[in-house]
Amino acid sequence: MEVLRPQLIRIGGRIYRKNPIQEQAYQHEEEDEDFYQGFTECAEEPCDGYEVIQTQQGFQCTVKAPSLLYKHIVGKRGDTRKKLEVETKTSISIPKPGQEGEIVITGQHRSGVISARTRIDVLLLTFRRKQPFTHFLAFFLNEVEVQERFLKFQEEVLEKCSMDHGVDSSIFQNPKKLHLTIGMLVLLSEQEIQQTCEMLQQCKKEFIDDISGGKPLEVEMEGIEYMNDDPGMVDVLYAKVHMKDGSNRLQELVDRVLERFQASGLIVKEWNSVKLHATVMNTLFRKDPNAEGRYNLYTADGKYIFKERESFDGRNILKLMSESWTTLTKLLVGGMHITKNRKQIQLKNAFLQLFENFYFGTLKLNSIHISQRFTVDSFGNYASCGQIDFS
């Protein structure tokens, strides 16, 4: 992040700057006191978007937040709350740890109450973004044909490529957990899960029914791709999915769902479009069978962890293709006149020839699920906390 181009946070119709230096300095919960300093200048102006009521004692405003985030408002030894109260001339009541409720702000002046509310919102949003993902919106790809074809794909890869560095059975997805992810969520209470369910229902009424026609979307899962351009350092291999009728309805549907959830704040905006893919091989599975790609970067208490990944070498797969042997040898050994990027692209294309048209089967996507990470239901899939059906 550049100092002259700080991250902006939109709250209640206003935009606030985040201090990038303070953000980088944050490492542990005990540093909440110092972290708070970065927000003392950005929340002074009143915001008309908050509901402030007048009482006999002055003014009052309430904030709904999951209990897991209360500690960040309290701060170490209660210092964060004390500073907020002193600087805004308010009193802030926070439920005890483990108890659900509302944060209540009271003060003699309306502007002070609003200032305290704005600063609390900034802190809540910041620390929410530090929480590990708990749920995700997804289509389940659990039809028998697809699972059987996936096992066939695994068998062929291990048979033909088991001598490649890093290729073994541990990096394959569990066939019962094949899915298409729409977006990742941080849901910290039952109320937030219910809010997500209600948002899905709104999407169904407003545009999903029109796009799907009230029927399942028939798609084909065919061909593979991987996330980088170096066949010698592959971490994630995924299967491609497309509408059987050749239309763009599936992409349109998931992009609009993503847009709606981003607008509500339930999903942090990182991309404008969903990259639909079904992970079939992931090197993170090697050490953690429950790992879920790039999203498995935090412990249960929100601390960042580093997972060393052992990529697999795909170059030997190229040698299995006799038709491309001569060309590949020239690319790997000679061909100095070809740029490095062009070499990588050509190698990638050749790598995909072996399995690029592998057919996993036809599916009827009829439900979007709110899936809970690191859980298993009675069918071996991720546990679902809610869903909408197209038909």
Side-chain angles (χ1 to χ4, degrees):
M1 182 186 299
E2 297 181 14
V3 175
L4 298 180
R5 302 178 66 182
Q7 181 179 353
L8 302 179
I9 301 176
R10 182 181 296 275
I11 298 177
R14 290 180 177 271
I15 298 176
Y16 301 92
R17 299 185 302 273
K18 284 183 62 177
N19 187 326
I21 298 176
Q22 296 295 337
E23 174 72 7
Q24 292 171 359
Y26 177 81
Q27 292 181 350
H28 303 289
E29 176 185 335
E30 289 76 9
E31 296 178 7
D32 286 358
E33 179 178 353
D34 295 332
F35 180 81
Y36 168 74
Q37 296 289 346
F39 295 96
T40 57
E41 300 178 358
C42 66
E44 296 300 333
E45 297 183 17
C47 177
D48 298 330
Y50 296 139
E51 182 179 353
V52 180
I53 62 174
Q54 189 168 6
T55 67
Q56 293 180 347
Q57 290 75 32
F59 296 88
Q60 184 179 97
C61 184
T62 60
V63 184
K64 292 183 178 180
S67 60
L68 286 174
L69 298 181
Y70 291 162
K71 61 184 179 182
H72 299 301
I73 309 302
V74 175
K76 185 181 180 181
R77 297 185 299 273
D79 289 345
T80 300
R81 174 167 58 181
K82 291 176 185 177
K83 286 187 176 182
L84 280 169
E85 291 177 330
V86 170
E87 293 173 3
T88 61
K89 296 180 174 60
T90 60
S91 175
I92 302 172
S93 175
I94 302 176
K96 295 180 180 180
Q99 295 183 354
E100 295 293 339
E102 293 182 331
I103 299 173
V104 181
I105 308 167
T106 57
Q108 293 295 319
H109 304 285
R110 186 175 187 274
S111 60
V113 171
I114 291 177
S115 179
R117 167 64 191 271
T118 302
R119 298 184 189 192
I120 288 175
D121 280 350
V122 171
L123 288 171
L124 289 172
L125 178 59
T126 298
F127 286 104
R128 173 180 287 276
R129 289 183 175 180
K130 292 180 179 292
Q131 301 299 311
F133 292 115
T134 60
H135 299 74
F136 59 97
L137 298 177
F139 293 100
F140 290 163
L141 309 178
N142 53 4
E143 295 193 16
V144 175
E145 177 192 4
V146 171
Q147 293 183 3
E148 290 179 347
R149 291 291 298 164
F150 169 80
L151 291 174
K152 178 65 175 176
F153 168 79
Q154 178 177 340
E155 178 184 342
E156 289 190 20
V157 171
L158 292 176
E159 177 185 350
K160 298 175 181 178
C161 312
S162 60
M163 298 302 293
D164 290 356
H165 173 75
V167 175
D168 60 57
S169 60
S170 68
I171 63 176
F172 285 85
Q173 175 67 281
N174 181 337
K176 294 181 179 180
K177 288 191 171 184
L178 289 169
H179 63 275
L180 295 177
T181 300
I182 299 174
M184 304 299 296
L185 300 159
V186 176
L187 305 179
L188 303 178
S189 67
E190 290 298 324
Q191 290 79 6
E192 292 186 350
I193 293 176
Q194 181 60 36
Q195 181 185 358
T196 304
C197 292
E198 292 172 357
M199 181 66 66
L200 267 184
Q201 289 293 339
Q202 292 179 12
C203 292
K204 175 177 168 60
K205 293 178 181 178
E206 294 179 16
F207 59 84
I208 289 179
D209 284 344
D210 289 339
I211 296 174
S212 67
K215 299 178 181 179
L217 298 179
E218 192 167 0
V219 302
E220 289 182 315
M221 186 168 161
E222 180 180 15
I224 62 163
E225 182 64 271
Y226 54 92
M227 296 293 186
N228 64 309
D229 288 329
D230 185 355
M233 297 287 289
V234 178
D235 280 318
V236 177
L237 196 70
Y238 63 90
K240 296 180 285 188
V241 176
H242 61 267
M243 287 290 297
K244 193 172 183 179
D245 62 9
S247 71
N248 197 43
R249 288 188 296 152
L250 176 60
Q251 189 67 54
E252 178 187 357
L253 188 151
V254 296
D255 283 347
R256 292 189 64 176
V257 170
L258 178 68
E259 180 183 8
R260 180 58 56 85
F261 273 79
Q262 287 175 338
S264 71
L266 287 170
I267 292 180
V268 176
K269 186 170 183 178
E270 295 182 274
W271 301 280
N272 294 323
S273 180
V274 177
K275 182 177 179 62
L276 284 172
H277 65 281
T279 298
V280 294
M281 297 173 68
N282 189 334
T283 55
L284 284 181
F285 296 155
R286 196 187 310 281
K287 294 183 179 181
D288 183 0
N290 293 315
E292 293 160 33
R294 68 180 188 86
Y295 307 109
N296 195 39
L297 298 175
Y298 294 88
T299 61
D301 59 358
K303 294 182 179 180
Y304 181 82
I305 57 176
F306 175 75
K307 279 182 172 288
E308 184 178 355
R309 303 177 71 161
E310 180 190 353
S311 301
F312 67 87
D313 187 346
R315 288 176 294 182
N316 285 332
I317 296 177
L318 305 177
K319 298 177 182 178
L320 296 174
M321 296 175 288
S322 58
E323 294 181 357
S324 303
W325 171 255
T326 303
T327 302
L328 292 173
T329 301
K330 290 180 180 179
L331 288 172
L332 290 170
V333 179
M336 297 303 294
H337 62 284
I338 301 177
T339 65
K340 181 179 179 182
N341 288 339
R342 185 180 171 191
K343 276 188 180 182
Q344 289 181 341
I345 293 172
Q346 290 180 325
L347 286 170
K348 180 177 182 179
N349 292 336
F351 172 87
L352 295 174
Q353 287 179 16
L354 185 59
F355 295 111
E356 67 175 347
N357 296 318
F358 191 95
Y359 187 73
F360 290 91
T362 301
L363 301 117
K364 292 184 178 180
L365 304 182
N366 193 43
S367 303
I368 296 178
H369 292 263
I370 305 170
S371 303
Q372 185 174 356
R373 298 183 70 205
F374 311 119
T375 61
V376 180
D377 63 14
S378 58
F379 299 101
N381 207 329
Y382 293 99
S384 178
C385 301
Q387 69 182 77
I388 57 166
D389 298 323
F390 299 169
S391 61

